[in-house]
PDB file of all heavy atoms in Angstrom:
ATOM      1  N   MET A   4      94.397  92.992  59.995  1.00 97.00           N
ATOM      2  CA  MET A   4      95.683  92.872  59.266  1.00 97.00           C
ATOM      3  C   MET A   4      96.360  94.111  59.493  1.00 97.00           C
ATOM      4  O   MET A   4      95.807  95.315  59.232  1.00 97.00           O
ATOM      5  CB  MET A   4      95.396  92.665  57.782  1.00 97.00           C
ATOM      6  CG  MET A   4      96.725  92.459  56.967  1.00 97.00           C
ATOM      7  SD  MET A   4      96.332  91.999  55.280  1.00 97.00           S
ATOM      8  CE  MET A   4      96.082  90.285  55.459  1.00 97.00           C
ATOM      9  N   LEU A   5      97.589  94.123  59.950  1.00 97.00           N
ATOM     10  CA  LEU A   5      98.509  95.252  60.061  1.00 97.00           C
ATOM     11  C   LEU A   5      99.295  95.274  58.749  1.00 97.00           C
ATOM     12  O   LEU A   5     100.252  94.420  58.664  1.00 97.00           O
ATOM     13  CB  LEU A   5      99.308  95.155  61.407  1.00 97.00           C
ATOM     14  CG  LEU A   5      98.656  94.941  62.617  1.00 97.00           C
ATOM     15  CD1 LEU A   5      99.666  94.866  63.711  1.00 97.00           C
ATOM     16  CD2 LEU A   5      97.470  95.820  62.858  1.00 97.00           C
ATOM     17  N   ILE A   6      99.032  96.207  57.895  1.00 95.00           N
ATOM     18  CA  ILE A   6      99.580  96.234  56.535  1.00 95.00           C
ATOM     19  C   ILE A   6     100.732  97.205  56.572  1.00 95.00           C
ATOM     20  O   ILE A   6     100.623  98.329  56.779  1.00 95.00           O
ATOM     21  CB  ILE A   6      98.572  96.612  55.482  1.00 95.00           C
ATOM     22  CG1 ILE A   6      97.402  95.622  55.490  1.00 95.00           C
ATOM     23  CG2 ILE A   6      99.254  96.619  54.143  1.00 95.00           C
ATOM     24  CD1 ILE A   6      96.189  96.114  54.774  1.00 95.00           C
ATOM     25  N   ILE A   7     102.002  96.785  56.319  1.00 93.00           N
ATOM     26  CA  ILE A   7     103.213  97.577  56.236  1.00 93.00           C
ATOM     27  C   ILE A   7     103.307  98.003  54.804  1.00 93.00           C
ATOM     28  O   ILE A   7     103.514  97.158  53.843  1.00 93.00           O
ATOM     29  CB  ILE A   7     104.454  96.742  56.657  1.00 93.00           C
ATOM     30  CG1 ILE A   7     104.331  96.373  58.162  1.00 93.00           C
ATOM     31  CG2 ILE A   7     105.680  97.635  56.527  1.00 93.00           C
ATOM     32  CD1 ILE A   7     103.861  95.044  58.450  1.00 93.00           C
ATOM     33  N   LYS A   8     103.219  99.299  54.599  1.00 92.00           N
ATOM     34  CA  LYS A   8     103.358  99.900  53.222  1.00 92.00           C
ATOM     35  C   LYS A   8     104.804  99.907  52.730  1.00 92.00           C
ATOM     36  O   LYS A   8     105.700  99.936  53.511  1.00 92.00           O
ATOM     37  CB  LYS A   8     102.735 101.376  53.246  1.00 92.00           C
ATOM     38  CG  LYS A   8     101.251 101.293  53.570  1.00 92.00           C
ATOM     39  CD  LYS A   8     100.426 100.603  52.604  1.00 92.00           C
ATOM     40  CE  LYS A   8      98.947 100.856  52.832  1.00 92.00           C
ATOM     41  NZ  LYS A   8      98.174 100.953  51.682  1.00 92.00           N
ATOM     42  N   THR A   9     104.842  99.738  51.430  1.00 90.00           N
ATOM     43  CA  THR A   9     106.149  99.732  50.722  1.00 90.00           C
ATOM     44  C   THR A   9     106.787 101.125  50.788  1.00 90.00           C
ATOM     45  O   THR A   9     106.109 102.157  50.696  1.00 90.00           O
ATOM     46  CB  THR A   9     106.037  99.276  49.318  1.00 90.00           C
ATOM     47  OG1 THR A   9     105.560  97.988  49.222  1.00 90.00           O
ATOM     48  CG2 THR A   9     107.229  99.341  48.524  1.00 90.00           C
ATOM     49  N   THR A  10     108.152 101.221  50.942  1.00 88.00           N
ATOM     50  CA  THR A  10     108.852 102.490  50.756  1.00 88.00           C
ATOM     51  C   THR A  10     109.884 102.214  49.529  1.00 88.00           C
ATOM     52  O   THR A  10     110.046 101.089  49.038  1.00 88.00           O
ATOM     53  CB  THR A  10     109.667 102.715  51.992  1.00 88.00           C
ATOM     54  OG1 THR A  10     110.652 101.688  52.131  1.00 88.00           O
ATOM     55  CG2 THR A  10     108.796 102.765  53.215  1.00 88.00           C
ATOM     56  N   ALA A  11     110.434 103.314  49.162  1.00 87.00           N
ATOM     57  CA  ALA A  11     111.499 103.229  48.116  1.00 87.00           C
ATOM     58  C   ALA A  11     112.595 102.240  48.513  1.00 87.00           C
ATOM     59  O   ALA A  11     113.159 101.402  47.693  1.00 87.00           O
ATOM     60  CB  ALA A  11     112.040 104.572  47.793  1.00 87.00           C
ATOM     61  N   TYR A  12     112.873 102.215  49.813  1.00 86.00           N
ATOM     62  CA  TYR A  12     114.001 101.335  50.265  1.00 86.00           C
ATOM     63  C   TYR A  12     113.544  99.842  50.231  1.00 86.00           C
ATOM     64  O   TYR A  12     114.382  98.989  49.700  1.00 86.00           O
ATOM     65  CB  TYR A  12     114.410 101.729  51.703  1.00 86.00           C
ATOM     66  CG  TYR A  12     115.141 102.908  51.803  1.00 86.00           C
ATOM     67  CD1 TYR A  12     114.573 104.164  52.155  1.00 86.00           C
ATOM     68  CD2 TYR A  12     116.506 102.939  51.424  1.00 86.00           C
ATOM     69  CE1 TYR A  12     115.341 105.357  52.203  1.00 86.00           C
ATOM     70  CE2 TYR A  12     117.165 104.077  51.592  1.00 86.00           C
ATOM     71  CZ  TYR A  12     116.613 105.250  51.840  1.00 86.00           C
ATOM     72  OH  TYR A  12     117.348 106.421  51.935  1.00 86.00           O
ATOM     73  N   SER A  13     112.283  99.525  50.692  1.00 86.00           N
ATOM     74  CA  SER A  13     111.873  98.150  50.589  1.00 86.00           C
ATOM     75  C   SER A  13     111.776  97.683  49.218  1.00 86.00           C
ATOM     76  O   SER A  13     112.065  96.553  48.874  1.00 86.00           O
ATOM     77  CB  SER A  13     110.595  97.989  51.357  1.00 86.00           C
ATOM     78  OG  SER A  13     109.486  98.671  50.889  1.00 86.00           O
ATOM     79  N   GLU A  14     111.314  98.472  48.287  1.00 89.00           N
ATOM     80  CA  GLU A  14     111.197  98.154  46.878  1.00 89.00           C
ATOM     81  C   GLU A  14     112.574  97.929  46.259  1.00 89.00           C
ATOM     82  O   GLU A  14     112.684  97.096  45.295  1.00 89.00           O
ATOM     83  CB  GLU A  14     110.444  99.290  46.108  1.00 89.00           C
ATOM     84  CG  GLU A  14     108.972  99.102  46.056  1.00 89.00           C
ATOM     85  CD  GLU A  14     108.430  97.866  45.417  1.00 89.00           C
ATOM     86  OE1 GLU A  14     108.525  97.771  44.254  1.00 89.00           O
ATOM     87  OE2 GLU A  14     108.091  96.925  46.117  1.00 89.00           O
ATOM     88  N   ALA A  15     113.536  98.694  46.759  1.00 87.00           N
ATOM     89  CA  ALA A  15     114.946  98.414  46.211  1.00 87.00           C
ATOM     90  C   ALA A  15     115.538  97.308  46.828  1.00 87.00           C
ATOM     91  O   ALA A  15     116.670  96.901  46.519  1.00 87.00           O
ATOM     92  CB  ALA A  15     115.768  99.779  46.479  1.00 87.00           C
ATOM     93  N   GLY A  16     114.987  96.637  47.742  1.00 85.00           N
ATOM     94  CA  GLY A  16     115.520  95.461  48.471  1.00 85.00           C
ATOM     95  C   GLY A  16     116.471  95.675  49.528  1.00 85.00           C
ATOM     96  O   GLY A  16     117.312  94.977  49.949  1.00 85.00           O
ATOM     97  N   VAL A  17     116.531  97.079  50.010  1.00 85.00           N
ATOM     98  CA  VAL A  17     117.533  97.414  51.008  1.00 85.00           C
ATOM     99  C   VAL A  17     117.081  96.727  52.368  1.00 85.00           C
ATOM    100  O   VAL A  17     115.907  96.787  52.714  1.00 85.00           O
ATOM    101  CB  VAL A  17     117.486  98.954  51.159  1.00 85.00           C
ATOM    102  CG1 VAL A  17     118.413  99.411  52.423  1.00 85.00           C
ATOM    103  CG2 VAL A  17     117.892  99.594  49.846  1.00 85.00           C
ATOM    104  N   LYS A  18     118.026  96.075  52.965  1.00 84.00           N
ATOM    105  CA  LYS A  18     117.791  95.429  54.236  1.00 84.00           C
ATOM    106  C   LYS A  18     117.768  96.397  55.452  1.00 84.00           C
ATOM    107  O   LYS A  18     118.447  97.379  55.355  1.00 84.00           O
ATOM    108  CB  LYS A  18     118.804  94.278  54.437  1.00 84.00           C
ATOM    109  CG  LYS A  18     118.801  93.250  53.350  1.00 84.00           C
ATOM    110  CD  LYS A  18     117.486  92.417  53.310  1.00 84.00           C
ATOM    111  CE  LYS A  18     117.453  91.329  52.314  1.00 84.00           C
ATOM    112  NZ  LYS A  18     116.066  90.925  51.997  1.00 84.00           N
ATOM    113  N   HIS A  19     116.971  96.046  56.380  1.00 84.00           N
ATOM    114  CA  HIS A  19     116.822  96.882  57.588  1.00 84.00           C
ATOM    115  C   HIS A  19     118.094  96.728  58.479  1.00 84.00           C
ATOM    116  O   HIS A  19     118.839  95.693  58.315  1.00 84.00           O
ATOM    117  CB  HIS A  19     115.634  96.479  58.442  1.00 84.00           C
ATOM    118  CG  HIS A  19     114.387  96.858  57.627  1.00 84.00           C
ATOM    119  ND1 HIS A  19     113.942  98.093  57.355  1.00 84.00           N
ATOM    120  CD2 HIS A  19     113.503  95.948  57.089  1.00 84.00           C
ATOM    121  CE1 HIS A  19     112.806  98.039  56.664  1.00 84.00           C
ATOM    122  NE2 HIS A  19     112.479  96.854  56.490  1.00 84.00           N
ATOM    123  N   SER A  20     118.255  97.634  59.414  1.00 87.00           N
ATOM    124  CA  SER A  20     119.403  97.521  60.431  1.00 87.00           C
ATOM    125  C   SER A  20     119.208  96.295  61.329  1.00 87.00           C
ATOM    126  O   SER A  20     118.085  95.775  61.527  1.00 87.00           O
ATOM    127  CB  SER A  20     119.546  98.691  61.192  1.00 87.00           C
ATOM    128  OG  SER A  20     118.472  98.872  62.038  1.00 87.00           O
ATOM    129  N   GLN A  21     120.313  95.815  61.967  1.00 92.00           N
ATOM    130  CA  GLN A  21     120.212  94.720  62.912  1.00 92.00           C
ATOM    131  C   GLN A  21     119.285  95.131  64.002  1.00 92.00           C
ATOM    132  O   GLN A  21     118.514  94.318  64.611  1.00 92.00           O
ATOM    133  CB  GLN A  21     121.633  94.260  63.347  1.00 92.00           C
ATOM    134  CG  GLN A  21     121.537  93.153  64.257  1.00 92.00           C
ATOM    135  CD  GLN A  21     122.881  92.531  64.577  1.00 92.00           C
ATOM    136  OE1 GLN A  21     123.942  93.045  64.046  1.00 92.00           O
ATOM    137  NE2 GLN A  21     122.965  91.614  65.515  1.00 92.00           N
ATOM    138  N   ALA A  22     119.460  96.269  64.406  1.00 91.00           N
ATOM    139  CA  ALA A  22     118.699  96.816  65.659  1.00 91.00           C
ATOM    140  C   ALA A  22     117.175  96.717  65.340  1.00 91.00           C
ATOM    141  O   ALA A  22     116.335  96.306  66.116  1.00 91.00           O
ATOM    142  CB  ALA A  22     119.059  98.208  66.008  1.00 91.00           C
ATOM    143  N   TYR A  23     116.737  97.061  64.079  1.00 90.00           N
ATOM    144  CA  TYR A  23     115.350  97.078  63.819  1.00 90.00           C
ATOM    145  C   TYR A  23     114.942  95.595  63.634  1.00 90.00           C
ATOM    146  O   TYR A  23     113.920  95.221  64.143  1.00 90.00           O
ATOM    147  CB  TYR A  23     115.126  97.763  62.401  1.00 90.00           C
ATOM    148  CG  TYR A  23     113.768  97.430  61.803  1.00 90.00           C
ATOM    149  CD1 TYR A  23     112.550  98.065  62.363  1.00 90.00           C
ATOM    150  CD2 TYR A  23     113.492  96.514  60.846  1.00 90.00           C
ATOM    151  CE1 TYR A  23     111.332  97.885  61.809  1.00 90.00           C
ATOM    152  CE2 TYR A  23     112.233  96.271  60.347  1.00 90.00           C
ATOM    153  CZ  TYR A  23     111.086  96.935  60.885  1.00 90.00           C
ATOM    154  OH  TYR A  23     109.884  96.651  60.496  1.00 90.00           O
ATOM    155  N   ASP A  24     115.718  94.771  63.085  1.00 92.00           N
ATOM    156  CA  ASP A  24     115.441  93.317  62.974  1.00 92.00           C
ATOM    157  C   ASP A  24     115.220  92.699  64.319  1.00 92.00           C
ATOM    158  O   ASP A  24     114.218  91.922  64.529  1.00 92.00           O
ATOM    159  CB  ASP A  24     116.498  92.567  62.167  1.00 92.00           C
ATOM    160  CG  ASP A  24     116.428  92.805  60.665  1.00 92.00           C
ATOM    161  OD1 ASP A  24     115.395  93.299  60.134  1.00 92.00           O
ATOM    162  OD2 ASP A  24     117.544  92.641  60.097  1.00 92.00           O
ATOM    163  N   GLU A  25     116.059  93.006  65.291  1.00 95.00           N
ATOM    164  CA  GLU A  25     115.967  92.589  66.635  1.00 95.00           C
ATOM    165  C   GLU A  25     114.759  93.040  67.319  1.00 95.00           C
ATOM    166  O   GLU A  25     114.041  92.237  68.063  1.00 95.00           O
ATOM    167  CB  GLU A  25     117.184  92.869  67.422  1.00 95.00           C
ATOM    168  CG  GLU A  25     118.414  92.042  66.977  1.00 95.00           C
ATOM    169  CD  GLU A  25     119.646  92.717  67.650  1.00 95.00           C
ATOM    170  OE1 GLU A  25     119.723  93.535  68.433  1.00 95.00           O
ATOM    171  OE2 GLU A  25     120.897  92.074  67.340  1.00 95.00           O
ATOM    172  N   ALA A  26     114.336  94.286  67.116  1.00 94.00           N
ATOM    173  CA  ALA A  26     113.119  94.914  67.655  1.00 94.00           C
ATOM    174  C   ALA A  26     111.972  94.182  67.100  1.00 94.00           C
ATOM    175  O   ALA A  26     110.941  93.938  67.774  1.00 94.00           O
ATOM    176  CB  ALA A  26     113.121  96.408  67.369  1.00 94.00           C
ATOM    177  N   ARG A  27     111.872  93.944  65.821  1.00 94.00           N
ATOM    178  CA  ARG A  27     110.799  93.300  65.119  1.00 94.00           C
ATOM    179  C   ARG A  27     110.642  91.902  65.754  1.00 94.00           C
ATOM    180  O   ARG A  27     109.500  91.386  65.973  1.00 94.00           O
ATOM    181  CB  ARG A  27     111.076  93.235  63.646  1.00 94.00           C
ATOM    182  CG  ARG A  27     109.942  92.780  62.831  1.00 94.00           C
ATOM    183  CD  ARG A  27     109.446  93.687  61.903  1.00 94.00           C
ATOM    184  NE  ARG A  27     108.527  93.079  60.954  1.00 94.00           N
ATOM    185  CZ  ARG A  27     107.252  93.105  61.100  1.00 94.00           C
ATOM    186  NH1 ARG A  27     106.635  93.719  62.112  1.00 94.00           N
ATOM    187  NH2 ARG A  27     106.403  92.450  60.331  1.00 94.00           N
ATOM    188  N   ILE A  28     111.778  91.157  65.908  1.00 95.00           N
ATOM    189  CA  ILE A  28     111.614  89.808  66.503  1.00 95.00           C
ATOM    190  C   ILE A  28     111.054  89.885  67.877  1.00 95.00           C
ATOM    191  O   ILE A  28     110.126  89.029  68.203  1.00 95.00           O
ATOM    192  CB  ILE A  28     113.012  89.146  66.486  1.00 95.00           C
ATOM    193  CG1 ILE A  28     113.509  88.789  64.974  1.00 95.00           C
ATOM    194  CG2 ILE A  28     113.012  87.899  67.357  1.00 95.00           C
ATOM    195  CD1 ILE A  28     114.974  88.355  64.937  1.00 95.00           C
ATOM    196  N   ALA A  29     111.499  90.740  68.634  1.00 96.00           N
ATOM    197  CA  ALA A  29     110.995  90.974  70.043  1.00 96.00           C
ATOM    198  C   ALA A  29     109.472  91.248  69.991  1.00 96.00           C
ATOM    199  O   ALA A  29     108.690  90.762  70.722  1.00 96.00           O
ATOM    200  CB  ALA A  29     111.705  92.048  70.776  1.00 96.00           C
ATOM    201  N   TYR A  30     109.036  92.139  69.068  1.00 96.00           N
ATOM    202  CA  TYR A  30     107.649  92.434  68.892  1.00 96.00           C
ATOM    203  C   TYR A  30     106.824  91.230  68.503  1.00 96.00           C
ATOM    204  O   TYR A  30     105.752  91.007  69.143  1.00 96.00           O
ATOM    205  CB  TYR A  30     107.528  93.622  67.801  1.00 96.00           C
ATOM    206  CG  TYR A  30     106.114  93.933  67.371  1.00 96.00           C
ATOM    207  CD1 TYR A  30     105.299  94.592  68.293  1.00 96.00           C
ATOM    208  CD2 TYR A  30     105.608  93.514  66.137  1.00 96.00           C
ATOM    209  CE1 TYR A  30     103.919  94.892  67.897  1.00 96.00           C
ATOM    210  CE2 TYR A  30     104.388  93.889  65.810  1.00 96.00           C
ATOM    211  CZ  TYR A  30     103.532  94.552  66.650  1.00 96.00           C
ATOM    212  OH  TYR A  30     102.179  94.885  66.318  1.00 96.00           O
ATOM    213  N   MET A  31     107.313  90.454  67.558  1.00 95.00           N
ATOM    214  CA  MET A  31     106.662  89.252  67.138  1.00 95.00           C
ATOM    215  C   MET A  31     106.526  88.283  68.320  1.00 95.00           C
ATOM    216  O   MET A  31     105.461  87.579  68.563  1.00 95.00           O
ATOM    217  CB  MET A  31     107.276  88.597  65.935  1.00 95.00           C
ATOM    218  CG  MET A  31     107.207  89.360  64.662  1.00 95.00           C
ATOM    219  SD  MET A  31     105.414  89.530  64.220  1.00 95.00           S
ATOM    220  CE  MET A  31     105.547  91.163  63.598  1.00 95.00           C
ATOM    221  N   LYS A  32     107.544  88.137  69.106  1.00 95.00           N
ATOM    222  CA  LYS A  32     107.455  87.316  70.339  1.00 95.00           C
ATOM    223  C   LYS A  32     106.418  87.798  71.232  1.00 95.00           C
ATOM    224  O   LYS A  32     105.721  86.969  71.905  1.00 95.00           O
ATOM    225  CB  LYS A  32     108.858  87.176  71.000  1.00 95.00           C
ATOM    226  CG  LYS A  32     109.881  86.244  70.143  1.00 95.00           C
ATOM    227  CD  LYS A  32     111.190  86.286  70.943  1.00 95.00           C
ATOM    228  CE  LYS A  32     112.180  85.335  70.188  1.00 95.00           C
ATOM    229  NZ  LYS A  32     113.420  85.275  70.691  1.00 95.00           N
ATOM    230  N   SER A  33     106.348  89.118  71.433  1.00 95.00           N
ATOM    231  CA  SER A  33     105.242  89.614  72.403  1.00 95.00           C
ATOM    232  C   SER A  33     103.862  89.367  71.853  1.00 95.00           C
ATOM    233  O   SER A  33     102.982  89.090  72.696  1.00 95.00           O
ATOM    234  CB  SER A  33     105.609  91.143  72.630  1.00 95.00           C
ATOM    235  OG  SER A  33     105.310  91.916  71.472  1.00 95.00           O
ATOM    236  N   LEU A  34     103.634  89.489  70.566  1.00 96.00           N
ATOM    237  CA  LEU A  34     102.417  89.061  69.990  1.00 96.00           C
ATOM    238  C   LEU A  34     102.079  87.588  70.177  1.00 96.00           C
ATOM    239  O   LEU A  34     100.905  87.366  70.580  1.00 96.00           O
ATOM    240  CB  LEU A  34     102.418  89.389  68.454  1.00 96.00           C
ATOM    241  CG  LEU A  34     102.330  90.851  67.962  1.00 96.00           C
ATOM    242  CD1 LEU A  34     102.629  90.977  66.538  1.00 96.00           C
ATOM    243  CD2 LEU A  34     100.913  91.375  68.263  1.00 96.00           C
ATOM    244  N   ALA A  35     103.104  86.852  69.964  1.00 94.00           N
ATOM    245  CA  ALA A  35     102.868  85.318  70.226  1.00 94.00           C
ATOM    246  C   ALA A  35     102.537  85.050  71.705  1.00 94.00           C
ATOM    247  O   ALA A  35     101.674  84.245  71.976  1.00 94.00           O
ATOM    248  CB  ALA A  35     104.107  84.611  69.743  1.00 94.00           C
ATOM    249  N   ARG A  36     103.359  85.640  72.623  1.00 95.00           N
ATOM    250  CA  ARG A  36     103.142  85.406  74.022  1.00 95.00           C
ATOM    251  C   ARG A  36     101.794  85.814  74.421  1.00 95.00           C
ATOM    252  O   ARG A  36     101.120  85.236  75.270  1.00 95.00           O
ATOM    253  CB  ARG A  36     104.209  86.122  74.852  1.00 95.00           C
ATOM    254  CG  ARG A  36     105.418  85.408  75.023  1.00 95.00           C
ATOM    255  CD  ARG A  36     106.304  85.994  76.160  1.00 95.00           C
ATOM    256  NE  ARG A  36     106.686  87.407  75.853  1.00 95.00           N
ATOM    257  CZ  ARG A  36     107.594  87.913  75.100  1.00 95.00           C
ATOM    258  NH1 ARG A  36     108.362  87.086  74.639  1.00 95.00           N
ATOM    259  NH2 ARG A  36     107.765  89.212  74.996  1.00 95.00           N
ATOM    260  N   ALA A  37     101.139  86.890  73.833  1.00 95.00           N
ATOM    261  CA  ALA A  37      99.880  87.347  74.132  1.00 95.00           C
ATOM    262  C   ALA A  37      98.775  86.542  73.565  1.00 95.00           C
ATOM    263  O   ALA A  37      97.646  86.687  73.766  1.00 95.00           O
ATOM    264  CB  ALA A  37      99.791  88.823  73.694  1.00 95.00           C
ATOM    265  N   GLY A  38      99.199  85.679  72.620  1.00 94.00           N
ATOM    266  CA  GLY A  38      98.327  84.730  71.967  1.00 94.00           C
ATOM    267  C   GLY A  38      97.418  85.348  70.844  1.00 94.00           C
ATOM    268  O   GLY A  38      96.346  84.890  70.490  1.00 94.00           O
ATOM    269  N   VAL A  39      97.959  86.463  70.247  1.00 94.00           N
ATOM    270  CA  VAL A  39      97.120  87.104  69.207  1.00 94.00           C
ATOM    271  C   VAL A  39      97.678  87.057  67.844  1.00 94.00           C
ATOM    272  O   VAL A  39      97.067  87.384  66.829  1.00 94.00           O
ATOM    273  CB  VAL A  39      96.953  88.656  69.652  1.00 94.00           C
ATOM    274  CG1 VAL A  39      96.182  88.886  70.900  1.00 94.00           C
ATOM    275  CG2 VAL A  39      98.332  89.471  69.623  1.00 94.00           C
ATOM    276  N   LEU A  40      98.900  86.522  67.715  1.00 94.00           N
ATOM    277  CA  LEU A  40      99.549  86.417  66.399  1.00 94.00           C
ATOM    278  C   LEU A  40      99.054  85.222  65.643  1.00 94.00           C
ATOM    279  O   LEU A  40      99.135  84.062  66.055  1.00 94.00           O
ATOM    280  CB  LEU A  40     101.149  86.370  66.632  1.00 94.00           C
ATOM    281  CG  LEU A  40     101.969  86.111  65.310  1.00 94.00           C
ATOM    282  CD1 LEU A  40     101.871  87.467  64.526  1.00 94.00           C
ATOM    283  CD2 LEU A  40     103.453  85.901  65.614  1.00 94.00           C
ATOM    284  N   LEU A  41      98.636  85.520  64.419  1.00 93.00           N
ATOM    285  CA  LEU A  41      98.139  84.474  63.458  1.00 93.00           C
ATOM    286  C   LEU A  41      99.134  84.218  62.337  1.00 93.00           C
ATOM    287  O   LEU A  41      99.416  83.098  61.973  1.00 93.00           O
ATOM    288  CB  LEU A  41      96.755  84.800  62.928  1.00 93.00           C
ATOM    289  CG  LEU A  41      95.668  85.020  63.901  1.00 93.00           C
ATOM    290  CD1 LEU A  41      94.342  85.387  63.177  1.00 93.00           C
ATOM    291  CD2 LEU A  41      95.424  83.671  64.704  1.00 93.00           C
ATOM    292  N   ALA A  42      99.733  85.349  61.872  1.00 94.00           N
ATOM    293  CA  ALA A  42     100.666  85.308  60.636  1.00 94.00           C
ATOM    294  C   ALA A  42     101.515  86.529  60.675  1.00 94.00           C
ATOM    295  O   ALA A  42     101.069  87.572  61.082  1.00 94.00           O
ATOM    296  CB  ALA A  42      99.947  85.033  59.395  1.00 94.00           C
ATOM    297  N   ASP A  43     102.630  86.448  60.171  1.00 94.00           N
ATOM    298  CA  ASP A  43     103.583  87.528  59.874  1.00 94.00           C
ATOM    299  C   ASP A  43     104.381  87.243  58.703  1.00 94.00           C
ATOM    300  O   ASP A  43     105.146  86.268  58.706  1.00 94.00           O
ATOM    301  CB  ASP A  43     104.449  87.884  61.046  1.00 94.00           C
ATOM    302  CG  ASP A  43     105.416  88.997  60.843  1.00 94.00           C
ATOM    303  OD1 ASP A  43     104.886  90.031  60.653  1.00 94.00           O
ATOM    304  OD2 ASP A  43     106.594  88.834  60.917  1.00 94.00           O
ATOM    305  N   GLU A  44     104.257  87.969  57.572  1.00 94.00           N
ATOM    306  CA  GLU A  44     104.996  87.760  56.400  1.00 94.00           C
ATOM    307  C   GLU A  44     105.467  89.008  55.723  1.00 94.00           C
ATOM    308  O   GLU A  44     104.980  89.984  55.814  1.00 94.00           O
ATOM    309  CB  GLU A  44     104.038  87.066  55.236  1.00 94.00           C
ATOM    310  CG  GLU A  44     103.434  85.752  55.758  1.00 94.00           C
ATOM    311  CD  GLU A  44     104.465  84.635  55.828  1.00 94.00           C
ATOM    312  OE1 GLU A  44     105.550  84.615  55.184  1.00 94.00           O
ATOM    313  OE2 GLU A  44     104.129  83.647  56.616  1.00 94.00           O
ATOM    314  N   GLU A  45     106.617  88.884  55.140  1.00 92.00           N
ATOM    315  CA  GLU A  45     107.220  89.941  54.309  1.00 92.00           C
ATOM    316  C   GLU A  45     107.200  89.658  52.926  1.00 92.00           C
ATOM    317  O   GLU A  45     107.429  88.384  52.464  1.00 92.00           O
ATOM    318  CB  GLU A  45     108.677  90.097  54.755  1.00 92.00           C
ATOM    319  CG  GLU A  45     109.420  91.282  54.236  1.00 92.00           C
ATOM    320  CD  GLU A  45     110.900  91.468  54.655  1.00 92.00           C
ATOM    321  OE1 GLU A  45     111.148  90.954  55.696  1.00 92.00           O
ATOM    322  OE2 GLU A  45     111.642  92.173  53.916  1.00 92.00           O
TER     323      GLU A  45
END
C-alpha cells in the first residue's frame, strides 16, 4: 500500500492543479498497463 499522507491543504479540501491531476491519471494508467494496480482511492 502506497499511503499518501494528509497535508493541511488536503484536509482543507483544496483541490490539486490540473497538471497534477493529469500526471496522476498518467501514473495510474502506467500502473494499470504494468498489471500491478489493484486499487486507488482518495
